[in-house]
Amino acid sequence: MKYAEQTTVSSERSRAEIETILGRYGASSFAYMWQGTTALILFEYNGKRIKFMLQLPSRDDKTIKYTPERGTLRSREAQDKAYEQAVRQKWRALALVIKAKLEAVESGISVFEEEFMANIVLPNGQTTAEYMLPQIDKAYRIGEMPPMLPMLNGGTK
């Protein structure tokens, strides 16, 4: 069972809650936008820019178009209802993640940079995850560590 699978909290309310949470924990800026099935939350905290890309379901997803029990095609109204429920669930989960990470930092359980490392935006616009995951994959495939300063060896800045 997914977290908040049956939530009645609207997506708009969850986004507003995220903004409120960020302000409460000291974020200095906040932005939200969407394109297609991707929503973006961007904020700054202690001089670091953080980006969350939230993949929302497509109205064409099988889980939206068909019933889970028998796999029969849902009515248009039922598809709309399933879609809205799936979107609400995603936003509730993101609100939980952001709040939990900030509370872990506030409580001294961890530090901000460790909690949000994958989502920190680097000077080239990539997140740390976008930059590091290909290097981690390559390191495991070839069994060697990437160079510490790749820009000195002709690597990507």
PDB file of all heavy atoms in Angstrom, residues 44 48 56 60 62 64 86 88 102 147:
ATOM      1  N   GLU A  44      15.618  27.530  -1.914  1.00  0.00           N
ATOM      2  CA  GLU A  44      16.963  27.816  -1.427  1.00  0.00           C
ATOM      3  C   GLU A  44      16.966  27.763   0.090  1.00  0.00           C
ATOM      4  O   GLU A  44      16.016  28.197   0.741  1.00  0.00           O
ATOM      5  CB  GLU A  44      17.437  29.185  -1.902  1.00  0.00           C
ATOM      6  CG  GLU A  44      17.775  29.193  -3.369  1.00  0.00           C
ATOM      7  CD  GLU A  44      18.446  30.466  -3.824  1.00  0.00           C
ATOM      8  OE1 GLU A  44      18.841  31.298  -2.973  1.00  0.00           O
ATOM      9  OE2 GLU A  44      18.580  30.636  -5.048  1.00  0.00           O
ATOM     10  N   LYS A  48      22.044  27.174  -0.585  1.00  0.00           N
ATOM     11  CA  LYS A  48      22.018  26.019  -1.493  1.00  0.00           C
ATOM     12  C   LYS A  48      20.670  25.987  -2.207  1.00  0.00           C
ATOM     13  O   LYS A  48      19.636  26.165  -1.586  1.00  0.00           O
ATOM     14  CB  LYS A  48      22.202  24.709  -0.723  1.00  0.00           C
ATOM     15  CG  LYS A  48      23.432  24.624   0.149  1.00  0.00           C
ATOM     16  CD  LYS A  48      24.607  24.124  -0.616  1.00  0.00           C
ATOM     17  CE  LYS A  48      25.838  23.846   0.198  1.00  0.00           C
ATOM     18  NZ  LYS A  48      26.158  24.656   1.324  1.00  0.00           N
ATOM     19  N   LEU A  56       4.564  12.875 -12.183  1.00  0.00           N
ATOM     20  CA  LEU A  56       3.145  12.631 -11.976  1.00  0.00           C
ATOM     21  C   LEU A  56       2.658  11.597 -12.980  1.00  0.00           C
ATOM     22  O   LEU A  56       3.285  11.413 -14.031  1.00  0.00           O
ATOM     23  CB  LEU A  56       2.370  13.942 -12.135  1.00  0.00           C
ATOM     24  CG  LEU A  56       2.773  15.036 -11.149  1.00  0.00           C
ATOM     25  CD1 LEU A  56       2.116  16.352 -11.509  1.00  0.00           C
ATOM     26  CD2 LEU A  56       2.433  14.623  -9.728  1.00  0.00           C
ATOM     27  N   ASP A  60      -2.829   8.429 -19.499  1.00  0.00           N
ATOM     28  CA  ASP A  60      -2.808   7.218 -20.313  1.00  0.00           C
ATOM     29  C   ASP A  60      -2.241   5.999 -19.584  1.00  0.00           C
ATOM     30  O   ASP A  60      -2.204   4.907 -20.143  1.00  0.00           O
ATOM     31  CB  ASP A  60      -2.001   7.453 -21.593  1.00  0.00           C
ATOM     32  CG  ASP A  60      -2.673   8.457 -22.518  1.00  0.00           C
ATOM     33  OD1 ASP A  60      -3.927   8.493 -22.553  1.00  0.00           O
ATOM     34  OD2 ASP A  60      -1.951   9.199 -23.205  1.00  0.00           O
ATOM     35  N   LYS A  62      -1.880   2.740 -17.508  1.00  0.00           N
ATOM     36  CA  LYS A  62      -2.811   1.610 -17.360  1.00  0.00           C
ATOM     37  C   LYS A  62      -3.526   1.645 -16.014  1.00  0.00           C
ATOM     38  O   LYS A  62      -4.701   1.295 -15.926  1.00  0.00           O
ATOM     39  CB  LYS A  62      -2.072   0.284 -17.529  1.00  0.00           C
ATOM     40  CG  LYS A  62      -1.654   0.013 -18.946  1.00  0.00           C
ATOM     41  CD  LYS A  62      -0.929  -1.315 -19.068  1.00  0.00           C
ATOM     42  CE  LYS A  62      -0.489  -1.554 -20.509  1.00  0.00           C
ATOM     43  NZ  LYS A  62       0.225  -2.811 -20.659  1.00  0.00           N
ATOM     44  N   ILE A  64      -4.512   4.129 -14.461  1.00  0.00           N
ATOM     45  CA  ILE A  64      -5.541   5.166 -14.516  1.00  0.00           C
ATOM     46  C   ILE A  64      -6.707   4.709 -15.392  1.00  0.00           C
ATOM     47  O   ILE A  64      -7.871   4.865 -15.050  1.00  0.00           O
ATOM     48  CB  ILE A  64      -4.965   6.488 -15.061  1.00  0.00           C
ATOM     49  CG1 ILE A  64      -3.777   6.971 -14.227  1.00  0.00           C
ATOM     50  CG2 ILE A  64      -6.041   7.556 -15.200  1.00  0.00           C
ATOM     51  CD1 ILE A  64      -4.064   7.281 -12.794  1.00  0.00           C
ATOM     52  N   ALA A  86      -4.269   9.662  -7.825  1.00  0.00           N
ATOM     53  CA  ALA A  86      -2.841   9.344  -7.989  1.00  0.00           C
ATOM     54  C   ALA A  86      -1.982  10.602  -7.859  1.00  0.00           C
ATOM     55  O   ALA A  86      -0.904  10.572  -7.250  1.00  0.00           O
ATOM     56  CB  ALA A  86      -2.612   8.667  -9.327  1.00  0.00           C
ATOM     57  N   ARG A  88      -2.829  13.367  -6.165  1.00  0.00           N
ATOM     58  CA  ARG A  88      -2.877  13.759  -4.744  1.00  0.00           C
ATOM     59  C   ARG A  88      -1.900  12.927  -3.920  1.00  0.00           C
ATOM     60  O   ARG A  88      -1.196  13.456  -3.048  1.00  0.00           O
ATOM     61  CB  ARG A  88      -4.302  13.607  -4.190  1.00  0.00           C
ATOM     62  CG  ARG A  88      -5.265  14.667  -4.669  1.00  0.00           C
ATOM     63  CD  ARG A  88      -6.557  14.694  -3.853  1.00  0.00           C
ATOM     64  NE  ARG A  88      -7.244  13.423  -3.798  1.00  0.00           N
ATOM     65  CZ  ARG A  88      -8.192  13.035  -4.646  1.00  0.00           C
ATOM     66  NH1 ARG A  88      -8.570  13.815  -5.638  1.00  0.00           N
ATOM     67  NH2 ARG A  88      -8.784  11.857  -4.505  1.00  0.00           N
ATOM     68  N   LEU A 102      13.722  17.884   6.617  1.00  0.00           N
ATOM     69  CA  LEU A 102      13.968  19.117   7.363  1.00  0.00           C
ATOM     70  C   LEU A 102      13.899  18.893   8.866  1.00  0.00           C
ATOM     71  O   LEU A 102      14.671  19.475   9.629  1.00  0.00           O
ATOM     72  CB  LEU A 102      12.991  20.206   6.919  1.00  0.00           C
ATOM     73  CG  LEU A 102      13.264  20.761   5.519  1.00  0.00           C
ATOM     74  CD1 LEU A 102      12.096  21.606   5.044  1.00  0.00           C
ATOM     75  CD2 LEU A 102      14.562  21.554   5.482  1.00  0.00           C
ATOM     76  N   PRO A 147      37.876   9.888 -11.279  1.00  0.00           N
ATOM     77  CA  PRO A 147      38.903  10.817 -10.797  1.00  0.00           C
ATOM     78  C   PRO A 147      38.287  11.845  -9.852  1.00  0.00           C
ATOM     79  O   PRO A 147      37.117  12.212 -10.002  1.00  0.00           O
ATOM     80  CB  PRO A 147      39.422  11.479 -12.074  1.00  0.00           C
ATOM     81  CG  PRO A 147      38.385  11.230 -13.110  1.00  0.00           C
ATOM     82  CD  PRO A 147      37.660   9.980 -12.703  1.00  0.00           C
TER      83      PRO A 147
END
